[in-house]
Amino acid sequence: TFYFHEPDAVGHKKGPDSPETAQMIMHLDSLVGRFLKKLDRLPIKDQVNFIIVSDHGMGNISPERVVFFEDYLKPAWVDTFLGSNPTYLLQPNFGYTDSVVMALSKVPHMQAWKKSEIPARLQYGTNPRIYDVVLVADSAWSLGKHKRFSPSRYTGGAHGYDNADNDMGAIFYAIGPAFKSGYTQLKFSNVDVYPLLTHILKLKPAPNDGNLNDVQGMLVKP
């Protein structure tokens, strides 16, 4: 396995649609090309499954699209804030959770959930380290606090939005003896990659949230 930290860094700084990001993607594509060229020289080339994934997408942000959620809360309501754009965790003081959620649920361009009411599809909220209220900005919007605001913090790109947002879509490419040729797979969750890998490697998977049934259509032998 190998990992590149780009184009995440340039995407954050310059934005996903910038010339700088496009140039970085071309550079990474050339490195993949070199890898495949050298792989083709090996005697085991026909036994290798090569998979390219990414962990998330990236959305454009702007200092003109920022929600200062603290404007809608009374200081006595909240004990602790944790997070950064576009997701925050709030720990209300005892007895104020409903007040916090009710106030923030009326704020445009963001979502506010009690920990116990986060949509099940997000598979989030069951860990004790997660605070009682979760905030997520709408696509292309940002969450911020006045004391941390500067235009440069909200310029470029961001990720961490609802994974149903098309801007958060990741890539998946695969080639090798395990995979059908010329097959186009329907969208699936990143957590499905793990059971796919364990299936190909004939390993017993640890407990996980993935579903092999959602991805086995790409396999030569499901």
Side-chain angles (χ1 to χ4, degrees):
T1 61
F2 56 97
Y3 168 79
F4 296 109
H5 70 281
E6 293 286 11
D8 184 77
V10 68
H12 277 296
K13 186 175 182 179
K14 298 294 185 178
D17 300 325
S18 68
E20 293 87 351
T21 300
Q23 184 177 8
M24 178 58 68
I25 291 171
M26 292 176 65
H27 171 63
L28 297 174
D29 183 74
S30 72
L31 298 181
V32 172
R34 291 186 64 185
F35 175 86
L36 289 174
K37 187 175 181 179
K38 293 189 176 185
L39 175 64
D40 194 52
R41 300 174 185 171
L42 300 179
I44 61 168
K45 64 180 181 178
D46 294 330
Q47 303 172 47
V48 176
N49 292 294
F50 181 52
I51 302 172
I52 301 174
V53 298
S54 61
D55 50 351
H56 54 72
M58 184 80 73
N60 286 299
I61 58 174
S62 167
E64 298 178 355
R65 297 190 299 271
V66 181
V67 177
F68 296 102
F69 58 87
E70 61 186 338
D71 290 349
Y72 303 89
L73 303 173
K74 295 181 180 180
W77 290 357
V78 180
D79 175 62
T80 308
F81 298 95
L82 178 66
S84 61
N85 183 50
T87 304
Y88 271 85
L89 305 180
L90 275 61
Q91 185 57 52
N93 285 312
F94 181 77
Y96 287 105
T97 298
D98 288 339
S99 298
V100 169
V101 173
M102 187 175 299
L104 294 177
S105 65
K106 302 173 184 178
V107 180
H109 310 303
M110 60 164 283
Q111 299 291 323
W113 296 297
K114 288 183 181 179
K115 175 180 176 177
S116 60
E117 296 175 355
I118 298 172
R121 64 180 176 79
L122 295 177
Q123 302 185 46
Y124 190 78
T126 58
N127 193 287
R129 292 180 296 174
I130 297 170
Y131 290 173
D132 288 349
V133 178
V134 176
L135 312 182
V136 181
D138 289 349
S139 178
W141 282 80
S142 297
L143 297 180
K145 299 180 68 177
H146 286 292
K147 68 179 183 179
R148 299 180 63 187
F149 178 79
S150 67
S152 62
R153 290 179 64 91
Y154 302 96
T155 300
H159 54 84
Y161 296 95
D162 187 329
N163 60 16
D165 179 353
N166 285 333
D167 286 342
M168 295 300 99
I171 61 170
F172 180 95
Y173 300 111
I175 188 171
F179 297 99
K180 295 176 180 176
S181 178
Y183 181 83
T184 300
Q185 171 68 39
L186 296 176
K187 184 186 295 187
F188 61 92
S189 298
N190 265 3
V191 291
D192 296 335
V193 174
Y194 174 71
L196 176 68
L197 294 179
T198 57
H199 175 78
I200 292 172
L201 295 171
K202 296 180 173 60
L203 299 174
K204 181 180 179 180
N208 66 92
D209 293 323
N211 186 351
L212 180 62
N213 291 331
D214 289 345
V215 292
Q216 65 178 352
M218 67 177 72
L219 298 172
V220 173
K221 296 179 180 179

